[in-house]
Amino acid sequence: NAGVTQTPKFRVLKTGQSMTLLCAQDMNHEYMYWYRQDPGMGLRLIHYSVGEGTTAKGEVPDGYNVSRLKKQNFLLGLESAAPSQTSVYFCASSYPSGVPYEQYFGPGTRLTVT
Amino acid sequence: RKEVEQDPGPFNVPEGATVAFNCTYSNSASQSFFWYRQDCRKEPKLLMSVYSSGNEDGRFTAQLNRASQYISLLIRDSKLSDSATYLCVASISNFGNEKLTFGTGTRLTIIP
C-alpha cells in the first residue's frame, strides 16, 4: 500500500494563478483532511471531509476550495494564489474505527507563491 | 493565546540522556491527546496516544494531567534517531470526526 500520496511535491506559482493539489489514499479511509504548516504556527486545518461527496470548513478555509468526488481522492484548489498561501500543505486521512483515530499524513506539497 | 502551547526548543541533549517535554492546552473540552513526531522536511507521524493513566511504549512515556491541562513526554536512553520535532496534539471529537489542534512543536537534537 502506498498510504497517502500527494501531487505535486513542489510548485511555484505567480500571484493570481490557480492550481489544484491532489491527495490520494489507498487505505479505504472515510475521513480526509487538508492542513497547512507554517513556521511558528503549527499545522492548521483548512478543510476536511467525512465521506465521499461531503466537505466542511476547517480553521483557515479562506482562499481555498475542496472536492471529494471519489472516496480515495481529496482535491484542494487555489483559485487565485496569494503570497500568504506560501506554505507546506499536508493531506491526511483517518478511518473511523477505534478511538482515538490516528491520522495518516502524506509527504506534503511545498508551495511558493511569488 | 494558542490552544496548544509547547516550548519550541531547541533541546540539545547528549546521547543516552533522559529528556522531557511539556505541553499545555487551553480547551477543557479536549478529549484525546497525542504526540506526533516530525522529521525534518517530512510528514508528521503518530508517536503515541496519551491516556489519563499514563502510558509507556519502550523508552517513551506519556502523561496527561487534566486538572492542570498539560501533557508530557519523557524519552529515556535517548538515541541519535530520536532527533526530530515533537508535536503535541489535542483533539475534540465531533460525531466521530477528530478535530486535531497541533502545537508548534519542540525540536530535539541528540548529540553523539
Side-chain angles (χ1 to χ4, degrees):
Chain A
N1 287 349
V4 181
T5 58
Q6 293 182 230
T7 309
K9 289 186 169 53
F10 304 93
R11 185 74 186 268
V12 178
L13 285 180
K14 294 191 169 153
T15 297
Q17 287 184 319
S18 63
M19 77 165 294
T20 300
L21 283 66
L22 171 63
C23 175
Q25 52 93 5
D26 61 3
M27 297 176 282
N28 201 34
H29 285 175
E30 289 293 334
Y31 300 161
M32 296 187 75
Y33 313 83
W34 275 108
Y35 293 91
R36 60 178 289 174
Q37 187 174 37
D38 303 292
M41 298 294 292
L43 281 148
R44 292 180 292 169
L45 183 64
I46 304 171
H47 285 280
Y48 64 96
S49 168
V50 298
E52 182 178 318
T54 74
T55 63
K57 294 180 180 179
E59 181 186 354
V60 288
D62 293 342
Y64 305 95
N65 56 74
V66 288
S67 63
R68 182 102 181 265
L69 298 179
K70 293 183 179 180
K71 185 177 182 178
Q72 63 268 35
N73 295 339
F74 195 29
L75 278 63
L76 178 71
L78 285 73
E79 291 184 347
S80 179
S84 60
Q85 293 178 304
T86 293
S87 188
V88 181
Y89 292 85
F90 287 102
C91 175
S93 69
S94 66
Y95 184 67
S97 72
V99 178
Y101 313 143
E102 176 179 356
Q103 291 191 11
Y104 296 81
F105 285 80
T109 295
R110 295 183 177 275
L111 175 67
T112 301
V113 182
T114 60
Chain B
R1 183 186 173 188
K2 293 178 182 172
E3 283 194 41
V4 176
E5 295 208 55
Q6 300 180 247
D7 182 344
F11 284 63
N12 298 315
V13 174
E15 192 175 6
T18 296
V19 60
F21 308 136
N22 287 330
C23 159
T24 58
Y25 63 95
S26 60
N27 192 338
S28 58
S30 300
Q31 300 156 313
S32 305
F33 305 90
F34 312 87
W35 284 100
Y36 275 71
R37 171 193 167 126
Q38 186 172 23
D39 293 310
C40 187
R41 301 179 74 83
K42 298 287 188 180
E43 71 273 22
K45 292 184 179 178
L46 180 66
L47 177 65
M48 59 197 305
S49 302
V50 188
Y51 304 117
S52 296
S53 56
N55 50 307
E56 188 174 314
D57 183 3
R59 297 181 293 107
F60 297 83
T61 301
Q63 296 277 357
L64 166 64
N65 185 320
R66 285 191 185 272
S68 302
Q69 296 188 192
Y70 82 80
I71 305 144
S72 65
L73 177 68
L74 181 78
I75 306 174
R76 290 181 299 276
D77 188 24
S78 53
K79 312 290 185 191
L80 295 177
S81 58
D82 294 334
S83 296
T85 296
Y86 291 83
L87 307 176
C88 176
V89 185
S91 168
I92 296 174
S93 181
N94 180 18
F95 297 104
N97 180 36
E98 296 285 326
K99 176 186 178 294
L100 302 186
T101 301
F102 287 79
T104 54
T106 297
R107 188 172 170 188
L108 173 66
T109 301
I110 304 301
I111 304 165

